[in-house]
Amino acid sequence: MAAPAKRARVSDASPLAAPCPVPRAAARAPLPLPAGPSGREPESDAVAGFLRWCTRVGLELSPKVMVSRQGTVAGYGMVARESVQPGELLFAVPRSALLSPHTCSISDLLERERGALQSLSGWVPLLLALLHELQAPASPWSPYFALWPELGRLEHPMFWPEEERLRLLKGTGVPEAVEKDLVNIRSEYYSIVLPFMEVHSDLFSPTVRSLELYRQLVALVMAYSFQEPLEEEEEDEKEPNSPLMVPAADILNHIANHNANLEYSAEYLRMVATQPILKGHEIFNTYGQMANWQLIHMYGFAEPYPNNTDDTADIQMVAVREAALQGTEDETERLLLRERWDFLCKQELVGEEGAFVIGREEVLTEEELATTLKVLCMPAEEFRDYKERAGWGEEETEDGSLAVTNIPKLQESWKRLLRDSVLLTLQTYGTDLKTEQDLLSNKEVYAKLSWREQQALQVRYGQKMILHRLLELTS
């Protein structure tokens, strides 16, 4: 299973800003991609063609599962024909059937030009492979493409009008992440991808030399690709593996309480049941421990409250600094506080774009938040001693773990600063908690909201519930 996007964020980097884990995704959009210049195949033909292709490439599907739109939460999914027990194999994908820069028809060229195709995202070789295979009438992956979502109907917020994105997702962190994505996509396309396609114009028709198509494929890779995890001993030494497309596996939809998991071996990638699955029930994979803001950003949907047990809320690090500054009385105190903040920055515990991440049961950035509260709240003389000891090892904090339930036990000054930081964070949203609660409690009104409005509401509400619980615990 691919690692999720980093949850304990000291820097708030976009998934496209640096070599990054690519969470695995599944079919979410409502319509399949056109299967070629002749147009889209009927649904039954597309599924039948895909199943024939599976047989041809050695992709083994259990007779207990079927690919279907019926009985799924969104788009294509996989449903149990018969009851399945934990540990049963659902399907096995041979590595030869994976679509990657190493298996596509221009693999030799991509390997030769590997140096010229390096980018911050690390996705360019796969994206070029997709651009080439999508336009090739005889691409061996055409039956697989027929089950893809229609690229023009992806629901990622990067495709929403900017006004709608800001209005619906203000305060959630998504608009800022999307803006970084759009800047990075444009830069990557014009500096690397388009020049490469123009040099090799015999391999890339004018129809695929388009920034908009590239943006759509980036969203598809963001939402549908897998990333093979590194071996444990390699994690600190190697860059993350490049993303790849895994047919059949990317059909599965996501919930936090999933019932299947992808396992990697030398010859095959295997999807195995992790819970009992009753006949007629959908089979769900997981995209990793993803908060709702990450799900909507990378996949275009959110889990309804309270289903996403991995949901989080962010408190921007600069909001804690601002809250601390509000508590100072004169310029001398403000200078001392800025000195403490600079010290924390040099220790790489805080940053201008970082965020403290609060889950439902734990603070995911426990060390960073605990140290920040301690340093900003300690008496001046104690800070001088603390600063002198920096780099010589640090005793464990005597105030215990920052599990959410332990927050009431913190020092009063810590709790006051945390509470003020939460209040500043809540001001960044466009609506208050009661407005969200009223919308969610009125089923008729909720049903009249657009899909985007519903998904954005779930993101905002989940975050605000976490933040309001912090207010209660720090009171």
Side-chain angles (χ1 to χ4, degrees):
M1 168 55 57
K6 189 176 182 183
R7 301 172 76 207
R9 294 178 297 146
V10 173
S11 74
D12 194 18
S14 154
L16 299 176
C20 69
V22 182
R24 133 90 205 46
R28 301 300 315 178
L31 294 175
L33 179 77
S38 60
R40 199 175 86 239
E41 288 186 87
E43 178 185 332
S44 58
D45 291 348
V47 172
F50 174 72
L51 294 177
R52 288 193 297 270
W53 178 82
C54 289
T55 300
R56 193 160 63 245
V57 300
L59 196 163
E60 303 169 14
L61 283 170
S62 165
K64 291 187 176 184
V65 305
M66 63 180 176
V67 177
S68 175
R69 285 186 184 275
Q70 302 300 315
T72 66
V73 296
Y76 284 111
M78 197 166 284
V79 176
R81 294 179 188 270
E82 303 174 27
S83 293
V84 176
Q85 296 304 312
E88 283 195 58
L89 180 68
L90 304 172
F91 56 83
V93 186
R95 287 188 175 270
S96 57
L98 306 178
L99 176 46
S100 76
H102 306 293
T103 60
C104 70
S105 57
I106 57 170
S107 58
D108 290 344
L109 173 63
L110 295 177
E111 178 60 28
R112 285 198 309 272
E113 300 291 335
R114 182 171 54 178
L117 300 179
Q118 290 181 351
S119 68
L120 287 175
S121 73
W123 297 3
V124 167
L126 175 60
L127 289 160
L128 285 167
L130 296 181
L131 285 165
H132 176 74
E133 297 296 339
L134 280 172
Q135 59 162 22
S139 172
W141 282 278
S142 290
Y144 163 55
F145 296 152
L147 295 192
W148 274 11
E150 186 177 357
L151 293 178
R153 297 190 62 177
L154 294 172
E155 277 292 350
H156 296 65
M158 72 166 68
F159 301 112
W160 301 8
E162 183 179 10
E163 178 278 328
E164 184 176 24
R165 187 164 62 239
L166 293 174
R167 175 170 51 85
L168 295 179
L169 294 168
K170 181 182 178 183
T172 65
V174 175
E176 294 80 4
V178 169
E179 286 306 311
K180 290 177 182 178
D181 288 347
L182 294 176
V183 168
N184 291 329
I185 289 168
R186 184 178 183 86
S187 172
E188 190 172 83
Y189 177 76
Y190 283 113
S191 64
I192 302 174
V193 176
L194 182 60
F196 183 86
M197 290 194 292
E198 288 176 338
V199 168
H200 302 284
S201 58
D202 56 321
L203 298 173
F204 297 93
S205 72
T207 60
V208 297
R209 291 181 231 163
S210 154
L211 174 60
E212 180 59 21
L213 176 59
Y214 188 72
R215 190 162 62 114
Q216 292 167 352
L217 285 176
V218 167
L220 191 97
V221 169
M222 185 185 289
Y224 283 72
S225 66
F226 288 71
Q227 182 185 41
E228 186 165 3
L230 295 169
E231 296 295 331
E232 198 167 317
E233 61 272 13
E234 298 176 330
E235 288 182 356
D236 295 331
E237 301 173 7
K238 291 180 63 177
E239 293 291 342
N241 287 316
S242 299
L244 45 83
M245 310 304 293
V246 186
D250 58 13
I251 292 173
L252 271 62
N253 289 305
H254 160 97
I255 56 174
N257 184 26
H258 57 288
N259 52 25
N261 192 48
L262 189 65
E263 299 178 352
Y264 295 81
S265 67
E267 300 296 329
Y268 286 87
L269 277 60
R270 295 179 171 87
M271 190 67 71
V272 177
T274 58
Q275 297 184 31
I277 306 170
L278 298 177
K279 178 181 179 179
H281 284 213
E282 186 168 3
I283 299 163
F284 291 99
N285 191 11
T286 176
Y287 307 169
Q289 292 176 294
M290 306 290 283
N292 265 351
W293 81 266
Q294 293 170 307
L295 289 174
I296 199 169
H297 171 216
M298 302 185 75
Y299 309 104
F301 77 98
E303 287 200 71
Y305 187 86
N307 293 357
N308 189 352
T309 54
D310 296 316
D311 210 3
T312 63
D314 286 358
I315 299 174
Q316 295 300 312
M317 291 174 174
V318 292
V320 179
R321 181 185 64 192
E322 181 62 27
L325 282 168
Q326 287 181 1
T328 58
E329 295 182 355
D330 54 38
E331 186 60 26
T332 299
E333 287 189 5
R334 284 189 281 277
L335 287 171
L336 288 172
L337 190 135
R338 291 191 179 99
E339 180 187 352
R340 297 170 188 228
W341 183 262
D342 290 343
F343 167 77
L344 290 168
C345 288
K346 288 175 182 175
Q347 298 297 309
E348 298 185 344
L349 290 165
V350 298
E352 293 297 309
E353 293 189 333
F356 300 116
V357 185
I358 317 297
R360 290 194 186 178
E361 303 299 333
E362 61 180 333
V363 178
L364 277 69
T365 49
E366 178 179 359
E367 178 188 356
E368 293 90 341
L369 181 57
T371 305
T372 299
L373 294 174
K374 178 164 75 171
V375 168
L376 295 183
C377 293
M378 64 175 50
E381 189 165 331
E382 184 180 341
F383 172 65
R384 283 194 293 272
D385 293 340
Y386 184 87
K387 187 176 180 181
E388 287 176 6
R389 294 197 311 270
W392 294 96
E394 181 54 46
E395 69 277 4
E396 290 189 11
T397 192
E398 67 275 14
D399 299 89
S401 164
L402 260 189
V404 169
T405 52
N406 284 342
I407 285 176
K409 303 173 187 176
L410 298 178
Q411 296 178 22
E412 286 302 317
S413 59
W414 293 29
K415 288 195 291 184
R416 185 167 55 251
L417 177 54
L418 183 55
R419 179 180 176 80
D420 291 345
S421 303
V422 171
L423 290 171
L424 284 177
T425 300
L426 286 167
Q427 291 175 17
T428 64
Y429 294 89
T431 54
D432 59 23
L433 182 64
K434 187 177 185 308
T435 302
E436 321 280 51
Q437 288 172 331
D438 290 344
L439 283 171
L440 285 166
S441 61
N442 190 324
K443 293 183 179 179
E444 289 185 11
V445 173
Y446 183 79
K448 291 178 182 178
L449 298 176
S450 70
W451 167 262
R452 292 175 180 178
E453 289 171 331
Q454 290 178 354
Q455 303 311 299
L457 173 57
Q458 296 292 348
V459 175
R460 299 193 309 266
Y461 185 70
Q463 291 184 353
K464 289 177 187 177
M465 287 296 286
I466 292 171
L467 293 171
H468 275 269
R469 187 177 180 211
L470 279 184
L471 286 184
E472 295 173 4
L473 295 171
T474 53
S475 296

